[in-house]
Amino acid sequence: MSGQPFRLTSGGLIDRGRTLDFSFDGKSYQGHAGDTLASALLANGVRLVGRSFKYHRPRGVLSAGPEEPNALVELRTGARREPNTRATVVELFDGLEAASQNRWPSLAFDLLSLNGLVSPALVAGFYYKTFMWPAAFWEKLYEPLIRRAAGLGRAAGAEDPDHYEKAFAFCDVLVIGGGPAGLAAALAAGRSGARVILCDEDFRLGGRLLAEKREIDGKPASEWLAATLAELASLPDVRIMPRTTIFGLYDHGIYGAVERVSDHLPEPAPHQPRQRGWRIYAKRAILAAGALERPIVFSGNDAPGVMLAGAARTYVNRYGALPGRETVLFTAGDDGWATARDIASAGGQVAAIVDSRPEADAGRKALADKLGARLFAGGAVEGTSGGRQLDGVTIREASGATASVACDLLAVSNGWNPTLHLTSHQNDKPVWDDGLHCFVPGSLPAGLSVAGSAAGRFTLAQALEDGARLGREAAADAGLTPAGAGPVPATDPETNGLQPVWRVKGAKGKAFVDYQNDVTDKDVELAAREGFRPVEHLKRYTTLGMATDQGKTSNLAGLAVVAEQTGRTIPQTGTTTFRPPYTPVAIGALAGHHRGKDFRLTRLAPTHDWSREQGAVFVESGQWLRAQYYPKPGENDWLTTVNREVLAVRSGVGICDVSTLGKIDIQGTDAAEFLERVYINGWKALPVGKARYGLMLREDGFVMDDGTTSRLGESHFLMTTTTANAGKVMQHLEFCHQVLWPELDVRLVSVSEQWAQASIAGPKARETLRGVVDSAHDISNEAFPYLAVREITVGGGIPARLFRISFSGELAYELAVPADYGDAMMRALMRAGAPFGITPYGTEALGVMRVEKGHVAGNELSGQTTARDLGLGKVMSSKKDYIGRLMAGRPALIEKDRPSFVGFKPVDPAQRLRAGAHFIGIGKATVMENDEGYMTSVAYSPHLKHWMGLGLIKGGAARIGERVRAYDPVRNGDIVVEICSPVFVDPEGARLHG
Amino acid sequence: MRYSAFSLLAQAFRGHKGWTPAWREPEPKADYDVVIIGGGGHGLATAHYLASRHDITNVAVLEKGYLGSGNVGRNTTIIRSNYLLPGNTPFYELSMKLWEGLEQDLNYNAMVSQRGVINLYHSDGQRDAFARRGNAMRLAGVDSELLGREQVRAMLPFLDYDNARFPIQGGLLQRRGGTARHDAVAWGYARAADSRGVDLIQNCEVTGITIVNGRAVGVETSRGPIRAKKIAMAVAGNSSRVAAMAGLRLPIESHVLQAFVSEGLKPLIDTVVTFGAGHFYISQSDKGGLVFGGDIDGYNSYAQRGNLPVIEDVMEAGMGLWPGLGRVRMLRHWGGIMDMSMDGSPIIDFTPVEGLYLNSGWCYGGFKATPASGFCFAHLIATGAPHPVASAYRLDRFATGHLIDEKGAGAQPNLH
Amino acid sequence: MRITCPHCGARDAQEFTYLGAADPQRPDGMAATEAAMVDYVYLRDNPAGPHRELWYHGAGCHAWLVVTRDTRTHAIASVEPAKARKAGAAA
């Protein structure tokens, strides 16, 4: 262990039998299993760990926990690099690599520390007051410079190679924190039979018991801890989750947690995530998160070697590492004395004890004597010396004289703040406790209680008592019979007298309130002087509390400085509240597996495999993957393929999957009445066995969706919707039925996924179908005319539905079979159509043919168009009420010059059209006032051999034959087009009825 | 006192002891020409433009909390004018022009950064919709460029191009878009208005609007009654509550929108990016934090906080767009209360109550609108006529049907 | 948030879709006026406090529910099927 000069030879909870190699800034070190990176660095005598944000001041380890503002490192390398990682919570593993950040060229010699020289000008808010002249320089010079200086660590940038998961858990009682209060609570609740989850952010349960030399029931606390953990492990409904941080409290007892499954390993084990994001649903929760110690603001309080006293004790007692050889203790209360005692008993020297309270009692005097420490009662540390490593402090004695004491560790103790963060996540505010000199939880979120130090009940006895009591209460609240209250274990005596010192004034040099953001007491004063006195102004103006530690060590001191300056008390000045998360959470953990191809689910049509075998290129259509086109060997661009598919349909027969259309089964004696109310057109007269085009509006009068709806029986309809709106329409119909007209006898169910459906289109469609439809069914033109619908059988008794409807304008059918037969249907149709050269076609060809026929689709159903805009005004019934009727009649919706639906063709047939082009009158200026509408859809017609477009233009059909510019400056397009009928092919519809 | 590099240096030599408060803390007077309810960005900007452009300085801004405590300090700081509809585009373009001159106008550096805003598209349909919008912007005199996939890749090489569920096909870029330091916008307007004599009154909650014979003549506040010739509401998030004091019901719901910031990082991304296949937008602040957000939570709320489903949805979109974000840590999230209007567009108008003016309905686009909103609201109040670029923002458009529905989502606020 | 669906039990709010205020009643029929419809479609009380609102259990039973929820705290006081409410109102 010669390589770890500050490692104690015995004691602590590290495993000296397991040595772990690690590196910091490229230099190799050794630590032990059970170390954190911080404890291992300290054991190796590494004090300078980081640089501050603004002045690049040298910084060391301040704390031993999640509140650490200074010791931030880049952990790991390459794509696994994690910036701003608190060395105090990194569990050491073999091969760990860490590097300091925000320094250049090196940590010891950082050129940007020159910022410190100009620091008199870099006060809070300085940038708001300058860089304004000359105006052009801000954009070109100043701002880029500021941005380059931004941030502390470097993110990996590359794709995160690890994966993450999400998990959900439900419990009666959630216990947050595995210290004495939390363990006692979990035990009491667990003994009552409650389903308990106990989470602790640490990798080892025990909380402060791991860091203190305490006794419970006359024995070392470690024995109570071991017995308690053993009993908890024996309770089947108690789940212990170490390395798990409850980061947020959300509505109705939902807790966000992140479990660091693999962060203590070089790499996650196979098939294990790096981290797991949890939602924990708890009937009751007990916050037993302990407390965070507070620093003191004095000149040079940021030097490496200045450490919170409780943290110093943690390093000695838990990690067997001496944070300094020569210690000065600066304390405002009793608690700091334990640090002096523990350091001395571990073999460290205590040079001086500075207790800011004027009188030291006999016991303390005796202890100081015993430790050989000079005692400065009523004194204060007012400065430090040593740049990259503390080498001494200046003490102002009670008499006013000053003394210098050499030391390499200054332990600072100023009382503790309850870790009450979660209590304010629902907007409840903490309240100030004059006796305890800290904020304690005020009103609490529903279902949450607070135990031990987190409630300001700082003694071990209180922690154990609170835990046992609240654990039973929580179990009772969750509906269980609480186990009998046993005696609360006895603890050794302790005192916690405190007279906090917020700031030591007087000395020159910077005194930091917020370490990481380099906010000094002078900055806070300046902000108050300039009127930024509300605490939120103070934070925003100075950036106090906005660093990665979120003010855990700084917020209260900031309030105290303002209070002092304005002559008010701390509670008059403001309150410290906390937003989630309690500590920063990796974005990956909250995203889980939702990334890459798994970002959103992928829906596949029942005919997908068949399409893939046919060589389909697929396209995202909402969540669906649909066959876009089916290229054949030798077809080098999509247009060649699509042209072939279109011509094949128009000359022979093609098939296309349309399974993704929404299908809603509507039954009941009022089904027709229901459709009357949701569609703009009439339905009562539709005969059984017939289909009809339907258009529905939103209540605000704009078009919602369209589709074909068929009457399968007197009281039975089948509605189809567009693919995109299937869910929305279903929800809308349920609304209409359940909320508006529950008195109607109608039932709805979505059957979109129950049926596979194919379109069979082209002059040979009927002949093809004859090969699959069972011969009992007559599908001749006479027996099964346009818009006929029938329930039939195919392939020898398989139930099916046949619809004679057409989107392409050809003789066409849609055939639906139960989804499981979808694949077989496509193959059977291919066989049946083979003699006619049947051709699979995709959404592109479908789109071309619908433009050729002038049908509206998604681009026209933009939510901004009315039925009249789309040329469907005549479909609107005037004889009945329906959704959207009244609002569709508002003046602006019936204005004459609303852009309405027509077709467009290029005057020069060689020119390509583009959707999104705007229409401008020829010779008119290209300004907004001359904008007449825009092109909604375009396609190349292999039939007409030129591009054609659909669009909305003022005046609409009345302007057929007129020419306008299709102006598309974002694609450098500006061509002349002729307004024409939107029906480009077979305007008489002869093919349809063939 | 005037802010400049010189004054900063001069103060540095004096230990910064000579700085004076950025604004006074006056007691409310009994009577004002104009009382503005709401000391957020829009209210403060309105006060500034009333004083600086219309010479109306007997003005009080009443703020129930601290100045800038509403959405001006709770947003993702994006500024842009990439709108589609003629009712919107010229208004937001005026705003952009005011942003471009803001530092000089206010003598306050709000750190306006025109780093570009790019909206990604992922399908042919989205591309054509962005082309439509980009073309509309050009027609309105706004810069816009439609980029292809490789152009986007050159700008933003770290996004997922090769394994994405919804592959990036390109983007619509507005180079003049960008960000501004949100708090500084409020403070800059506040200081400028104060310097012209406007009274900024904090901790002054309006509890009632006094109406005599159909005319608003004053307000009841937590600091006593205040009379005014004109009363202007700029309380987005709480518009319905304040309007109710005058007996009005508005076409607005209050919804929570969450925003997020990461730990400070060395520069990674130097433009504003919005994802077209999920609700997600992101930029990096001058301090290094990634600032990002997504969709509203979707239910009525005044609680200024949201819930996990949307938080997770935002993170998923972030990872879907940029898989290098996995190890970046989210540092803080918070919620602001949005005035979600029924067509997704704002209202700057008279009300049926004489002397009472309404500025509301900003949805989650209020920050970028701050300068033009103040400018046009001041114009309306001072001249009695709507400013030409804000003339579509009428309260009666819901009755007449002259809606300004950019998304085509209809009368459902949480879909805009 | 969690919503206790009368049919399915307590479920995460993510299973539900929000629509808005539950109290406005559609002016049905040919006699309804445009003004009444504008009020129904566009105007809202938007209270800070208890709010009766419509949620759709799309990932569950497909019921439309009337949830009474405080918009300041998100605390839910009651959940009932919208269908029952209408029947009750008529009675």
Side-chain angles (χ1 to χ4, degrees):
Chain A
M1 264 183 281
S2 57
Q4 300 179 47
F6 289 79
R7 181 73 74 185
L8 300 171
T9 52
S10 65
L13 299 167
I14 48 160
D15 181 355
R16 289 181 178 74
R18 281 182 60 206
T19 296
L20 306 173
D21 292 315
F22 73 100
S23 74
F24 178 64
D25 276 349
K27 197 169 167 206
S28 297
Y29 300 96
Q30 291 186 327
H32 295 296
D35 261 325
T36 63
L37 175 58
S39 69
L41 286 168
L42 289 168
N44 282 280
V46 177
R47 296 306 194 74
L48 172 60
V49 181
R51 290 275 175 175
S52 67
F53 176 68
K54 191 156 78 172
Y55 304 132
H56 293 251
R57 302 217 352 157
R59 295 284 167 82
V61 175
L62 180 75
S63 75
E67 71 273 36
E68 179 61 36
N70 286 338
L72 307 185
V73 299
E74 289 176 357
L75 186 67
R76 304 175 196 263
T77 57
R80 287 195 166 89
R81 187 171 67 207
E82 293 161 46
N84 308 328
T85 303
R86 291 154 288 155
T88 50
V89 297
V90 173
E91 195 174 342
L92 196 67
F93 57 84
D94 201 42
L96 180 151
E97 292 178 80
S100 59
Q101 49 189 34
N102 202 36
R103 80 287 188 271
W104 189 85
S106 74
L107 181 58
F109 180 75
D110 180 0
L111 274 177
L112 282 170
S113 61
L114 292 172
N115 274 359
L117 297 180
V118 294
S119 67
L122 304 186
V123 292
F126 75 95
Y127 28 77
Y128 305 132
K129 295 173 179 160
T130 184
F131 302 130
M132 287 175 281
W133 187 90
F137 273 39
W138 166 249
E139 206 67 38
K140 300 254 182 316
L141 178 67
Y142 304 134
E143 207 243 343
L145 276 175
I146 289 176
R147 279 162 73 185
R148 206 163 303 153
L152 285 171
R154 299 166 303 155
E159 175 161 3
D160 190 341
D162 295 334
H163 69 270
Y164 300 84
E165 1 181 278
K166 291 189 191 189
F168 301 79
F170 297 78
C171 63
D172 295 317
V173 180
L174 171 67
V175 180
I176 302 156
L183 291 169
L187 198 58
R191 283 173 176 168
S192 307
R195 289 180 304 156
V196 175
I197 294 176
L198 183 148
C199 298
D200 195 290
E201 61 191 335
D202 206 333
F203 54 90
R204 187 187 280 269
L205 274 290
R208 281 305 291 177
L209 290 181
L210 305 175
E212 306 284 0
K213 294 189 159 173
R214 297 300 305 274
E215 288 183 355
I216 297 176
D217 283 339
K219 290 178 285 193
S222 56
E223 291 186 26
W224 179 86
L225 177 58
T228 303
L229 289 173
E231 184 177 348
L232 288 171
S234 75
L235 294 171
D237 285 335
V238 174
R239 177 177 192 160
I240 307 283
M241 298 176 67
R243 302 188 179 98
T244 303
T245 305
I246 302 288
F247 63 77
L249 166 51
Y250 301 93
D251 282 314
H252 307 160
I254 303 176
Y255 292 78
V258 62
E259 180 185 6
R260 287 172 292 280
V261 180
S262 309
D263 279 356
H264 60 297
L265 304 171
E267 283 182 18
H271 312 298
Q272 285 296 308
R274 175 185 167 230
Q275 296 182 348
R276 191 177 281 133
W278 287 88
R279 277 191 223 170
I280 299 176
Y281 299 75
K283 289 184 188 162
R284 289 282 279 99
I286 298 169
L287 179 66
L292 298 171
E293 202 171 11
R294 314 184 290 215
I296 299 174
V297 179
F298 56 88
S299 173
N301 63 342
D302 64 329
V306 177
M307 186 180 285
L308 293 169
R313 196 145 94 227
T314 304
Y315 289 114
V316 171
N317 294 334
R318 174 172 174 181
Y319 298 107
L322 206 53
R325 304 242 184 254
E326 198 77 33
T327 299
V328 169
L329 170 70
F330 179 16
T331 185
D334 299 346
D335 188 70
W337 286 77
T339 300
R341 182 197 65 202
D342 291 354
I343 282 179
S345 70
Q349 297 295 315
V350 181
I353 296 175
V354 184
D355 190 322
S356 56
R357 294 171 296 180
E359 295 297 326
D361 63 22
R364 290 203 289 264
K365 280 180 181 156
L367 180 56
D369 283 347
K370 185 179 153 204
L371 302 180
R374 291 171 68 185
L375 176 60
F376 296 89
V381 172
E382 64 171 29
T384 64
S385 60
R388 283 169 252 161
Q389 159 64 56
L390 180 75
D391 61 17
V393 297
T394 309
I395 298 165
R396 194 180 63 231
E397 300 180 40
S399 65
T402 56
S404 292
V405 176
C407 63
D408 62 352
L409 175 71
L410 174 63
V412 177
S413 179
N414 192 32
W416 300 68
N417 285 331
T419 304
L420 49 69
H421 302 65
L422 287 170
T423 69
S424 63
H425 284 184
Q426 302 265 294
N427 299 351
D428 298 278
K429 285 198 182 342
V431 295
W432 181 256
D433 187 308
D434 265 326
L436 295 169
H437 310 285
C438 62
F439 284 102
V440 296
S443 60
L444 291 174
L448 185 72
S449 50
V450 190
S453 301
R457 288 166 56 79
F458 291 117
T459 69
L460 178 55
Q462 289 172 327
L464 295 170
E465 192 270 316
D466 282 6
R469 177 173 46 84
L470 295 174
R472 279 194 308 278
E473 280 181 18
D477 281 358
L480 297 144
T481 307
V488 174
T491 63
D492 54 338
E494 60 188 312
T495 59
N496 57 356
L498 173 70
Q499 289 174 26
V501 178
W502 302 116
R503 157 160 85 147
V504 180
K505 277 179 115 166
K508 284 203 155 192
K510 286 189 164 50
F512 288 90
V513 178
D514 182 315
Y515 292 95
Q516 193 182 127
N517 273 350
D518 279 337
V519 179
T520 67
D521 58 343
K522 299 276 194 307
D523 289 319
V524 174
E525 286 178 353
L526 172 63
R529 190 176 302 133
E530 293 194 83
F532 294 92
R533 281 189 279 267
V535 64
E536 282 293 328
H537 275 171
L538 173 70
K539 291 171 71 168
R540 289 158 184 267
Y541 194 63
T542 64
T543 73
L544 173 80
M546 308 290 238
T548 60
D549 63 315
Q550 290 286 285
K552 290 188 179 66
T553 57
S554 61
N555 280 347
L556 187 56
L559 276 180
V561 171
V562 174
E564 184 185 281
Q565 198 190 3
T566 55
R568 295 180 294 177
T569 64
I570 287 174
Q572 284 168 342
T573 304
T575 312
T576 56
T577 56
F578 302 93
R579 289 174 176 147
Y582 162 63
T583 49
V585 181
I587 288 172
L590 292 166
H593 67 270
H594 293 265
R595 59 194 272 197
K597 293 287 187 206
D598 296 327
F599 163 57
R600 287 291 177 257
L601 63 87
T602 303
R603 300 179 75 180
L604 303 180
T607 61
H608 185 82
D609 288 346
W610 170 81
S611 288
R612 204 180 49 211
E613 281 172 32
Q614 298 291 322
V617 169
F618 292 95
V619 65
E620 295 79 16
S621 173
Q623 292 176 331
W624 293 98
L625 277 188
R626 296 188 70 182
Q628 189 177 16
Y629 53 96
Y630 295 84
K632 284 195 163 171
E635 292 176 343
N636 292 326
D637 70 283
W638 65 271
L639 191 55
T640 307
T641 302
V642 172
N643 287 344
R644 172 180 55 75
E645 291 175 9
V646 170
L647 291 172
V649 171
R650 297 232 183 270
S651 64
V653 62
I655 55 171
C656 176
D657 176 88
V658 292
S659 302
T660 61
L661 291 176
K663 309 173 202 75
I664 300 171
D665 199 90
I666 302 170
Q667 300 193 36
T669 54
D670 290 322
E673 171 65 22
F674 183 73
L675 292 177
E676 291 277 325
R677 298 187 189 186
V678 298
Y679 276 131
I680 66 174
N681 46 336
W683 292 86
K684 284 186 173 159
L686 182 70
V688 173
K690 278 285 189 180
R692 176 172 288 174
Y693 176 78
L695 186 73
M696 62 177 74
L697 308 183
R698 299 184 308 228
E699 192 69 278
D700 70 351
F702 291 88
V703 174
M704 174 185 250
D705 198 55
D706 69 348
T708 304
T709 289
S710 306
R711 193 164 202 167
L712 299 177
E714 192 55 36
S715 309
H716 187 191
F717 291 81
L718 181 72
M719 175 186 286
T720 64
T721 76
T722 59
T723 298
N725 288 333
K728 192 160 93 180
V729 171
M730 183 67 199
Q731 178 181 326
H732 172 69
L733 296 189
E734 293 278 21
F735 170 83
C736 292
H737 169 221
Q738 296 179 38
V739 181
L740 298 183
W741 311 305
E743 67 278 10
L744 293 185
D745 175 28
V746 60
R747 290 291 181 276
L748 315 163
V749 65
S750 166
V751 294
S752 300
E753 289 164 23
Q754 276 64 37
W755 295 88
Q757 196 154 321
S759 168
I760 303 102
K764 300 292 184 190
R766 187 182 298 116
E767 286 161 82
T768 299
L769 266 180
R770 283 200 169 115
V772 299
V773 173
D774 290 345
S775 55
H777 307 289
D778 183 357
I779 57 169
S780 67
N781 196 34
E782 299 68 36
F784 201 76
Y786 180 55
L787 293 177
V789 173
R790 202 167 302 156
E791 295 187 280
I792 59 165
T793 59
V794 295
I798 298 164
R801 289 168 174 172
L802 187 65
F803 310 83
R804 187 164 166 194
I805 54 180
S806 177
F807 203 45
S808 58
E810 295 299 319
L811 166 66
Y813 301 83
E814 289 187 12
L815 177 64
V817 294
D820 288 349
Y821 290 101
D823 186 81
M825 170 179 70
M826 297 310 265
R827 294 175 199 279
L829 285 167
M830 286 297 282
R831 280 193 301 276
F836 318 109
I838 191 166
T839 299
Y841 66 98
T843 55
E844 287 294 335
L846 192 71
V848 172
M849 290 185 277
R850 78 100 183 165
V851 173
E852 286 180 330
K853 291 301 296 177
H855 293 306
V856 297
N859 290 0
E860 289 76 34
L861 308 181
S862 62
Q864 297 160 324
T865 45
T866 66
R868 289 182 191 86
D869 295 344
L870 301 179
L872 297 165
K874 59 186 177 301
V875 181
M876 300 168 84
S877 168
S878 58
K879 299 189 182 73
K880 57 160 188 170
D881 188 28
Y882 54 87
I883 297 282
R885 177 183 65 90
L886 275 170
M887 292 295 86
R890 283 177 292 172
L893 277 70
I894 55 173
E895 273 171 8
K896 278 275 180 289
D897 73 339
R898 280 185 70 89
S900 59
F901 186 65
V902 282
F904 296 88
K905 55 189 180 188
V907 169
D908 171 357
Q911 283 180 319
R912 178 174 182 166
L913 302 185
R914 302 264 187 196
H918 286 242
F919 301 120
I920 302 281
I922 290 168
K924 298 264 186 68
T926 52
V927 294
M928 196 178 77
E929 291 70 21
N930 294 331
D931 190 355
E932 298 184 2
Y934 75 104
M935 194 90 80
T936 54
S937 301
V938 301
Y940 177 78
S941 171
H943 198 81
L944 303 173
K945 299 195 169 46
H946 64 72
W947 285 82
M948 53 195 173
L950 302 174
L952 299 161
I953 190 167
K954 288 180 182 172
R959 295 173 64 185
I960 284 175
E962 213 179 291
R963 290 178 176 190
V964 292
R965 288 162 72 184
Y967 182 62
D968 186 28
V970 294
R971 287 173 295 204
N972 301 315
D974 188 0
I975 63 172
V976 179
V977 294
E978 183 183 314
I979 303 171
C980 59
S981 159
V983 186
F984 292 88
V985 171
D986 186 28
E988 305 77 24
R991 290 161 169 268
L992 210 54
H993 297 278
Chain B
M1 71 195 294
R2 196 161 173 81
Y3 290 163
S4 66
F6 176 76
S7 64
L8 187 68
L9 276 177
Q11 284 295 332
F13 287 106
R14 304 172 48 205
H16 297 280
K17 299 269 197 246
W19 292 113
T20 52
W23 43 78
R24 300 164 295 126
E25 292 187 16
E27 286 300 314
K29 294 191 287 188
D31 211 326
Y32 290 94
D33 290 340
V34 180
V35 157
I36 297 167
I37 307 172
H42 291 220
L44 293 166
T46 304
H48 166 68
Y49 293 116
L50 276 175
S52 66
R53 304 299 200 274
H54 302 283
D55 221 12
I56 297 173
T57 57
N58 184 24
V59 175
V61 178
L62 309 184
E63 169 52 50
K64 72 175 173 183
Y66 57 91
L67 295 177
S69 52
N71 293 328
V72 71
R74 289 172 178 265
N75 57 76
T76 47
T77 80
I78 298 166
I79 60 174
R80 57 184 175 85
S81 56
N82 54 1
Y83 279 75
L84 169 68
L85 299 176
N88 277 327
T89 322
F91 172 84
Y92 286 99
E93 180 57 14
L94 170 66
S95 211
M96 185 57 74
K97 292 209 166 81
L98 291 167
W99 283 118
E100 287 169 334
L102 196 68
E103 277 94 6
Q104 278 65 34
D105 190 9
L106 300 182
N107 178 230
Y108 205 87
N109 186 356
M111 307 178 80
V112 172
S113 169
Q114 292 181 288
R115 55 185 68 184
V117 172
I118 184 160
N119 300 130
L120 300 175
Y121 61 81
H122 308 260
S123 68
D124 292 353
Q126 264 188 336
R127 178 200 59 214
D128 292 340
F130 279 157
R132 177 190 174 199
R133 174 143 58 125
N135 288 331
M137 290 162 64
R138 294 280 191 97
L139 288 170
V142 181
D143 69 303
S144 70
E145 295 167 51
L146 193 69
L147 306 182
R149 171 187 158 98
E150 293 313 310
Q151 289 168 291
V152 174
R153 193 200 285 265
M155 284 178 70
L156 303 164
F158 39 80
L159 303 186
D160 189 352
Y161 295 89
D162 303 315
N163 187 41
R165 173 71 180 80
F166 301 102
I168 296 167
Q169 290 192 13
L172 180 67
L173 171 66
Q174 185 187 17
R175 288 192 194 273
R176 286 163 62 241
T179 61
R181 170 82 179 96
H182 57 0
D183 290 322
V185 174
W187 300 337
Y189 275 119
R191 181 171 163 274
D194 171 87
S195 73
R196 291 179 190 270
V198 172
D199 283 354
L200 308 178
I201 301 167
Q202 304 186 67
N203 299 309
C204 182
E205 180 168 7
V206 170
T207 55
I209 295 173
T210 310
I211 298 171
V212 177
N213 297 330
R215 182 177 177 87
V217 296
V219 291
E220 298 292 327
T221 80
S222 57
R223 297 176 67 171
I226 300 172
R227 288 190 304 278
K229 296 186 180 65
K230 295 174 180 174
I231 298 167
M233 300 179 351
V235 290
N238 287 289
S239 294
S240 298
R241 300 169 73 176
V242 177
M245 294 175 194
L248 303 174
R249 288 172 84 220
L250 300 181
I252 284 172
E253 289 178 1
S254 295
H255 283 258
V256 62
L257 176 68
Q258 303 192 63
F260 307 84
V261 66
S262 79
E263 295 179 343
L265 303 167
K266 290 294 175 199
L268 279 169
I269 173 174
D270 62 359
T271 184
V272 181
V273 182
T274 75
F275 188 31
H279 268 283
F280 186 74
Y281 35 92
I282 188 166
S283 65
Q284 188 167 18
S285 80
D286 285 345
K287 277 197 70 209
L290 297 173
V291 182
F292 53 102
D295 204 355
I296 55 176
D297 267 41
Y299 44 81
N300 283 41
S301 176
Y302 286 94
Q304 291 197 324
R305 59 184 168 77
N307 277 296
L308 278 172
V310 163
I311 295 169
E312 293 180 10
D313 188 71
V314 168
M315 303 300 155
E316 290 166 11
M319 284 295 279
L321 174 68
W322 182 357
L325 287 179
R327 304 177 101 83
V328 171
R329 284 181 287 255
M330 184 260 286
L331 175 62
R332 190 168 67 246
H333 70 84
W334 62 92
I337 302 305
M338 311 292 120
D339 262 12
M340 296 303 297
S341 73
M342 283 284 171
D343 64 356
S345 292
I347 299 158
I348 302 177
D349 203 357
F350 309 102
T351 68
V353 178
E354 205 184 331
L356 183 66
Y357 300 76
L358 179 65
N359 176 324
S360 67
W362 292 99
C363 299
Y364 41 83
F367 178 69
K368 71 180 91 68
T370 304
S373 169
F375 195 91
C376 295
F377 201 30
H379 183 95
L380 178 78
I381 296 163
T383 68
H387 189 280
V389 302
S391 58
Y393 295 153
R394 295 169 62 110
L395 183 56
D396 69 0
R397 68 178 185 267
F398 302 94
T400 63
H402 289 96
L403 304 159
I404 315 167
D405 187 350
E406 289 266 333
K407 276 194 181 173
Q412 199 184 323
N414 65 351
L415 298 182
H416 288 289
Chain C
M1 291 199 294
R2 299 192 88 195
I3 295 173
T4 303
C5 172
H7 308 121
C8 309
R11 300 295 182 91
D12 196 293
Q14 202 166 4
E15 293 187 6
F16 301 80
T17 305
Y18 181 76
L19 184 71
D23 285 336
Q25 298 287 310
R26 182 177 193 271
D28 269 340
M30 297 299 279
T33 65
E34 194 173 302
M37 189 60 87
V38 167
D39 193 303
Y40 166 74
V41 173
Y42 291 107
L43 298 186
R44 296 290 178 266
D45 290 335
N46 192 23
H51 185 229
R52 285 163 48 78
E53 57 198 27
L54 288 163
W55 293 77
Y56 175 62
H57 198 186
C61 59
H62 283 207
W64 278 93
L65 304 173
V66 176
V67 176
T68 305
R69 190 181 56 94
D70 193 308
T71 58
R72 297 162 302 183
T73 64
H74 301 167
I76 290 176
S78 70
V79 184
E80 55 182 333
K83 215 168 179 170
R85 177 204 58 153
K86 174 90 180 235

